[in-house]
């Protein structure tokens, strides 16, 4: 049994003990068993402290109002698989192996995915109606999600989506952030992505939508999509259609021209890759920070102004730092495990 | 246990729960991985106690020890001289701006983790924490048994714990147990 499995088992036991300690009057013999369990391993003590920590965080959580409650029971989840991607410790790597490297999954992720899919429960007298499945990623948290219709969504960090699959349409709303959608063909129902009042409509295609306050960027990798305003009536004149390797930027509802782009470069972020073309270190650093728990900071102005080009593994800031150091741009200081400062 | 003794124990339990709560909620100076370090030290101290003492109220002793360790280490890291009132003050300081930032991060992490639960699991937790319902009330509301409510709660805690263990997993990747 490897260390992860032992920790997971200790975690399960800790939750069970915590439940009994908080809900039951325990006999002396049972309490003795508990102390014995604590004394078996520091892992048991650690896991018990963690359950307590979790309980306190739930007690002090302030945003319960935003969490869907009993009214969402009985809605079948449109999501069947949460395949999580975590930043892996820095190693230089040829570009084409980066996606196979990330295929290593931890056993409990599969368990979590199965547990998270909903068994349909018929409950009477439901209140109206949060029918969307909310999915949110945090900083440095990239995710790939499989939907029940066979579509795959690659989510960037700090992205929040609402997914709803119905009989006549499949819809994803982007609250914030960006994602690439690989849409499974289903001619009976279109796939719609809406963000900031813009609706992107696809049948079978791969495309990225990025939403940053009032700006929406739509980039098509394969197939074609139409881009329309949410408020436009269905009978209105045809909405612009984007084909593969085309992009449109819509600012506050006003669409820009259709541009030809290299969609592989534009959407490289969905694969955990950052591509820079003569951009300053000052522009580049926030992008690495978006994908990593280890945060970069630039202290010297001449380093910040330096221009670089290249393809980088987004989860590998160390290689980027090594690249800068090798180029004589300065050197790195590490004041803590979570931060790297570039200085001269 | 006599009623008087029981309530004294409960008061004392709550007294130690406060400093421990601050330790557990803080993620700045003492990261999540430090729970393992604290646990290691607590584990050693557990060995020194007579079983008899521990089994009267094991959680209270556990919290007391963890809280002591947290206090001692907090003092060391802040480089202040251990003084009986001072270390309590150090622990009780709510004005740490770094702590506020990490509190907000913790809030956001919890929200994300809650949104990965199944609707029924989320509903059970929400009724418990947001509407302060007991198991019986929740059971009646959702047409399930109190036993099932407890099971759902336990399962949810397990899943949330797994979700929130990212920093921990990072620590494990770097070879700590």
């Amino acid at each position: 049994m490897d260390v992860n499995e032992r920790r997971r088992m200790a975690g399960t036991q800790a939750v069970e003990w915590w439940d009994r300690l908080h809900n039951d009057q325990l006999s002396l013999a049972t309490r003795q068993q508990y102390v014995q369990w604590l004394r078996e391993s520091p892992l048991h003590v650690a896991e018990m402290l963690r359950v307590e920590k979790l309980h306190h965080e739930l007690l002090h959580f302030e945003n319960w109002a935003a969490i869907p409650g009993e009214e969402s029971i009985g809605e079948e989840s449109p999501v069947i698989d949460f395949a999580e991607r975590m930043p892996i410790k820095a190693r230089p790597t040829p570009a084409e192996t980066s996606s196979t490297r990330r295929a290593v999954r931890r056993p409990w992720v599969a368990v979590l995915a199965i547990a998270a899919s909903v068994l349909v429960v018929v409950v009477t007298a439901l209140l109206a109606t949060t029918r969307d499945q909310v999915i949110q990623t945090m900083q440095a948290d990239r995710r790939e999600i499989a939907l029940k219709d066979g579509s795959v969504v690659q989510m960037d960090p700090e992205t929040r989506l609402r997914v709803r699959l119905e009989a006549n349409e499949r819809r994803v709303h982007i609250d914030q952030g960006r994602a690439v959608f690989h849409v499974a063909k289903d001619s009976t129902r279109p796939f719609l992505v809406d963000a900031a009042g813009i609706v992107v409509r696809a049948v079978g295609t791969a495309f990225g939508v990025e939403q940053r306050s009032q700006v929406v960027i739509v980039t098509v990798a394969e197939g074609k999509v139409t881009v329309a305003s949410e408020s436009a009536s269905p009978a209105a004149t045809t909405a612009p259609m984007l084909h593969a390797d085309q992009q449109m930027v819509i600012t506050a509802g006003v669409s820009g021209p259709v541009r030809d782009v290299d969609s592989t470069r534009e959407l490289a972020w969905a694969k955990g890759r950052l591509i820079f073309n003569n951009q300053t270190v000052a522009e580049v650093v926030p992008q690495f920070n978006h994908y990593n728990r280890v945060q970069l900071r630039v202290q010297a102005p001449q380093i910040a102004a330096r221009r670089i080009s290249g393809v980088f593994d987004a989860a590998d800031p160390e290689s980027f730092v090594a690249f800068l150091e090798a180029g004589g741009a300065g050197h790195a200081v590490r004041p803590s495990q979570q931060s790297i400062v570039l200085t001269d | 246990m006599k009623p008087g003794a029981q309530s004294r124990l409960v008061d004392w339990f709550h007294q130690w729960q406060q400093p421990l709560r601050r330790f557990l909620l803080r993620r700045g100076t003492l990261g999540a991985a430090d729970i393992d370090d604290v646990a290691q030290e607590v584990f050693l101290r557990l060995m020194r106690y007579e079983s008899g003492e521990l089994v009267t109220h094991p959680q209270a002793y556990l919290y007391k020890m963890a809280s002591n360790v947290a206090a001692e280490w907090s003092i060391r890291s802040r480089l202040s001289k251990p003084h009986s009132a001072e270390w309590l003050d150090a622990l009780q300081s709510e004005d740490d701006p770094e702590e506020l930032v990490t509190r907000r991060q913790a809030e956001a992490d919890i929200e994300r983790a809650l949104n990965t639960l199944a609707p029924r699991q989320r509903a059970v937790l929400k009724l418990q924490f947001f509407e302060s319902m007991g198991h019986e009330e929740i059971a009646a509301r959702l047409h399930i048994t109190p036993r099932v409510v407890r099971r759902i709660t336990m399962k949810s805690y397990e899943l949330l714990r797994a979700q929130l263990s990212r920093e921990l997993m990072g620590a494990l990747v770097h070879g700590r147990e």
Side-chain angles (χ1 to χ4, degrees):
Chain A
M1 202 187 300
D2 79 340
V3 71
N4 292 342
E5 282 170 52
R6 273 193 288 136
R7 189 176 281 278
R8 196 170 48 86
M9 240 185 52
T12 305
Q13 291 167 350
V15 168
E16 282 164 5
W17 274 118
W18 191 89
D19 167 75
R20 294 170 79 182
L21 288 158
H22 277 250
N23 294 309
D24 301 332
Q25 284 281 62
L26 297 179
S27 68
L28 183 65
T30 312
R31 278 178 273 135
Q32 269 164 351
Q33 267 185 312
Y34 172 56
V35 173
Q36 217 172 318
W37 177 81
L38 282 175
R39 283 171 154 177
E40 265 171 34
S41 160
L43 205 54
H44 294 182
V45 175
E47 288 304 308
M48 180 52 76
L49 290 179
R50 282 201 168 83
V51 177
E52 193 60 43
K53 177 180 167 78
L54 173 63
H55 180 75
H56 279 110
E57 287 185 336
L58 289 171
L59 269 174
H60 291 92
F61 181 61
E62 275 158 24
N63 209 14
W64 282 109
I67 302 290
E70 63 200 295
E71 67 282 357
S72 67
I73 297 178
E75 304 303 338
E76 193 172 330
S77 168
V79 179
I80 57 172
D81 183 68
F82 294 91
E84 302 193 15
R85 300 197 155 167
M86 288 154 41
I88 299 176
K89 187 159 170 37
R91 275 201 297 284
T93 175
E96 61 269 22
T97 63
S98 65
S99 52
T100 45
R101 204 159 47 104
R102 286 206 183 60
V104 173
R105 307 245 178 91
R106 306 189 194 278
W108 54 260
V109 172
V111 172
L112 178 65
I114 292 162
S117 64
V118 174
L119 305 172
V120 176
V121 173
V122 178
V123 179
T124 55
L126 294 175
L127 307 167
T129 171
T130 302
R131 305 189 61 208
D132 298 343
Q133 170 90 11
V134 177
I135 309 163
Q136 185 171 330
T137 53
M138 304 309 301
Q139 185 259 341
D141 173 18
R142 281 177 53 236
R143 260 200 226 192
E144 191 170 277
I145 293 176
L147 305 185
K148 283 224 173 85
D149 69 331
S151 302
V152 173
V153 182
Q154 291 168 313
M155 291 174 70
D156 212 44
E158 294 173 289
T159 294
R160 187 182 175 98
L161 304 180
R162 295 172 193 276
V163 180
R164 187 195 299 193
L165 300 185
E166 292 173 324
N168 58 340
E169 87 173 10
R170 301 170 282 171
R171 191 180 269 266
V172 177
H173 172 82
I174 303 184
D175 280 346
Q176 69 174 61
R178 58 186 183 179
V180 167
F181 302 88
H182 300 262
V183 178
K185 279 199 164 69
D186 181 349
S187 46
T188 66
R189 43 182 190 171
F191 196 98
L192 298 130
V193 178
D194 68 80
I198 302 300
V199 181
V200 182
R201 185 188 176 98
V203 174
T205 140
F207 63 99
V209 181
E210 173 169 354
Q211 193 235 313
R212 224 183 301 146
S213 59
Q214 287 303 303
V215 178
V216 180
I217 305 172
V218 181
T219 311
V220 180
E222 269 171 41
K224 37 191 202 265
V225 308
T226 59
V227 179
S229 159
E230 186 117 51
S231 50
S233 71
T237 49
T238 44
M241 181 175 284
L242 298 179
H243 295 250
D245 286 328
Q246 289 190 328
Q247 183 183 79
M248 181 188 280
V249 178
I250 303 103
T251 313
V254 177
S255 31
V258 175
R259 318 199 282 216
D260 290 323
V261 296
D262 177 349
S263 65
T264 310
R265 289 172 77 100
E266 293 293 310
L267 299 177
W269 47 264
K271 292 203 167 94
R273 237 167 265 160
L274 295 175
I275 303 183
F276 306 119
N277 195 4
N278 205 36
Q279 284 162 266
T280 62
V281 169
E283 293 172 302
V284 163
V285 161
Q287 297 192 48
F288 273 103
N289 287 342
H290 183 58
Y291 290 97
N292 291 284
R293 293 221 170 234
V294 174
Q295 299 279 285
L296 300 177
R297 207 158 47 84
V298 182
Q299 220 156 46
Q302 66 270 29
I303 302 179
R306 197 185 173 93
R307 293 194 175 267
I308 55 158
S309 300
V311 180
F312 296 90
D313 178 349
D316 190 0
E318 290 282 1
S319 284
F320 172 64
V321 168
F323 166 82
L324 286 179
E325 285 180 307
H331 70 278
V333 176
R334 286 165 181 72
S336 79
Q337 240 186 346
Q338 304 285 70
S339 84
I340 302 177
V341 178
L342 295 164
T343 181
D344 51 14
Chain B
M1 191 181 283
K2 294 198 189 111
Q6 176 75 316
S7 68
R8 265 205 312 282
L9 203 54
V10 167
D11 290 339
W12 175 71
F13 170 81
H14 282 131
Q15 180 201 340
W16 286 103
Q17 209 183 34
Q18 273 298 88
L20 180 66
R21 173 179 88 82
R22 261 173 217 104
F23 161 68
L24 292 176
L25 286 179
R26 179 192 5 224
R27 286 156 61 127
T29 30
L30 299 176
D34 293 282
I35 284 191
D36 288 315
D37 293 331
V38 170
Q40 180 72 47
E41 185 58 36
V42 169
F43 176 76
L44 295 173
R45 295 184 189 195
L46 274 175
M47 298 310 213
R48 292 185 222 147
Y49 271 68
E50 291 290 327
S51 279
E53 257 183 283
L54 286 172
V55 294
T56 50
H57 202 133
Q59 283 304 73
Y61 275 97
L62 184 67
Y63 297 157
K64 180 189 175 189
M65 278 185 257
S67 168
N68 280 342
V69 173
E72 288 163 33
W73 292 3
S74 175
I75 296 308
R76 244 180 271 151
S77 74
R78 289 176 199 238
L79 300 169
S80 56
K81 297 199 184 80
H83 177 277
S84 56
E86 212 177 74
W87 71 257
L88 259 180
D89 285 341
L91 279 185
Q92 281 163 17
S93 146
E94 300 271 21
D95 302 8
D96 185 356
E98 194 187 310
E99 195 171 325
L100 286 175
V101 169
T102 51
R103 281 293 306 129
R104 218 170 293 138
Q105 177 73 46
E107 277 276 307
D109 284 349
I110 290 277
E111 186 165 340
R112 174 188 67 80
L114 284 170
N115 276 325
T116 64
L117 293 178
R120 203 167 69 156
Q121 294 167 334
R122 253 186 340 218
V124 165
L125 292 186
K126 186 171 179 179
L127 291 173
Q128 261 177 247
F129 289 99
F130 194 44
E131 307 199 31
S132 305
M133 287 192 189
H135 295 323
E136 306 283 343
E137 280 181 280
I138 298 176
R141 178 82 148 239
L142 300 182
H143 311 289
I144 50 184
T145 66
R147 177 116 213 105
V148 171
V149 172
R150 268 173 77 164
R151 284 240 175 81
I152 292 176
T153 305
M154 292 200 318
K155 187 69 195 171
S156 305
Y157 274 41
E158 256 183 87
L159 293 174
L160 290 174
R161 153 84 187 86
Q163 275 293 310
L164 296 165
S165 71
R166 230 171 246 126
E167 272 173 40
L168 169 69
M169 294 312 268
L172 284 177
V173 163
H174 293 101
R176 300 180 57 186
E177 144 73 307

